[in-house]
Amino acid sequence: MKSDQTKIPQATAKRLPLYYRFLENLQASGKQRVSSTELSEAVKVDSATIRRDFSYFGALGKKGYGYNVSYLLSFFRETLNQDELTKVILVGVGNLGTAFMHYNFSKNNNTQIVMAFDVMEDKIGQEMGGVTIHHFDTLEKMLPEEVTVAILTVPVHAAQNIADRLVEAGIKGILNFTPARLSVPDSVRVHHIDLSVELQSLVYFLKHYPV
Ligand code: ATP
């Protein structure tokens, strides 16, 4: 099985979790093969793109057969480290942060929030979803060495300073839920999810490009 991740284009890599989740559900329902058309309808990616994506990891669909579900899943598991639990931290236990603390990520994708940080005194020391909230001042002391990913759910004005501290402390990936455009060194990756912009964009598309 070919699994040289450096050869997979970024756009393809971004679609892998989408494929993975769908294929897992498929396997759970007992299906052993799937066509690119079926996949395409389910994950809303055109089938030519799916075929190209899959060809990068040596999965060539057979005409009239489709793809072997367990072959694809084992590839994805390896590529996405699904066999390993990835531990992440969360900074900012406000409304959104609280929702994430209660959301069981590991059930869906093998990532788990293991520690949270905030600055509000009455939140410090509290436990939420089995995870303790620490003061952000103690970040460097508390951050486990193996943790390199942080979810950022703080107010926009605090985001850049916090990101700087996270990077200093060794964080390599930030999932940014604030509207702030963070600047970080090239060695750090930021994925930005601005919920209000996404919602606005959805409304715009519905209005101007009705399906
Ligand atoms: P809430 O109703 O709890 O205020 P919210 O999501 O609307 O929720 P925000 O003002 O966005 O609140 O703040 C989110 C969380 O980030 C809060 O719990 C706040 O205490 C925390 N926070 C603010 N500044 C920092 C900081 N510098 N470091 C860490 N956490 C912070």
Side-chain angles (χ1 to χ4, degrees):
M1 188 179 303
K2 198 172 103 191
S3 65
D4 187 353
Q5 291 177 40
T6 56
K7 296 229 174 73
I8 300 175
Q10 282 198 23
T12 300
K14 275 199 160 184
R15 286 188 284 270
L16 293 189
L18 207 65
Y19 297 144
Y20 181 78
R21 190 176 305 181
F22 176 71
L23 289 165
E24 258 204 335
N25 290 337
L26 218 54
Q27 193 178 50
S29 71
K31 276 202 84 171
Q32 273 150 31
R33 57 193 201 178
V34 63
S35 69
S36 50
T37 317
E38 261 175 292
L39 257 167
S40 168
E41 275 162 21
V43 298
K44 304 274 181 269
V45 173
D46 68 274
S47 50
T49 304
I50 291 181
R51 280 195 292 274
R52 199 182 50 239
D53 282 352
F54 285 13
S55 71
Y56 287 117
F57 33 84
L60 301 169
K62 286 191 214 102
K63 241 195 166 10
Y65 177 86
Y67 295 93
N68 183 298
V69 172
S70 53
Y71 173 88
L72 286 174
L73 273 174
S74 59
F75 176 85
F76 289 145
R77 241 175 236 124
E78 197 184 308
T79 307
L80 296 165
N81 284 334
Q82 293 291 323
D83 290 335
E84 246 172 66
L85 188 70
T86 304
K87 297 174 177 178
V88 311
I89 58 163
L90 179 136
V91 186
V93 195
N95 288 316
L96 193 54
T98 300
F100 290 150
M101 299 280 280
H102 290 296
Y103 180 73
N104 189 355
F105 286 99
S106 62
K107 204 173 70 187
N108 296 311
N109 66 6
N110 270 18
T111 49
Q112 184 184 26
I113 298 171
V114 291
M115 197 174 278
F117 294 90
D118 206 290
V119 285
M120 219 189 254
E121 287 303 335
D122 58 353
K123 294 184 183 176
I124 311 304
Q126 268 193 46
E127 233 188 58
M128 211 176 264
V131 173
T132 308
I133 305 169
H134 300 276
H135 199 289
F136 190 64
D137 285 350
T138 65
L139 173 77
E140 292 76 6
K141 199 174 86 191
M142 299 305 300
L143 184 69
E145 210 179 315
E146 74 273 20
V147 176
T148 56
V149 175
I151 299 173
L152 201 58
T153 44
V154 293
V156 59
H157 62 81
Q160 184 62 57
N161 277 343
I162 292 172
D164 293 345
R165 283 271 302 276
L166 289 171
V167 171
E168 272 294 281
I171 290 294
K172 297 285 177 219
I174 299 175
L175 192 58
N176 175 23
F177 281 92
T178 82
R181 296 278 154 188
L182 300 175
S183 57
V184 293
D186 289 344
S187 56
V188 176
R189 199 172 176 99
V190 176
H191 281 203
H192 190 204
I193 302 177
D194 187 326
L195 293 177
S196 50
V197 168
E198 293 296 332
L199 194 57
Q200 214 172 16
S201 146
L202 174 65
V203 171
Y204 177 87
F205 274 91
L206 281 181
K207 212 163 156 183
H208 297 278
Y209 302 90
V211 279

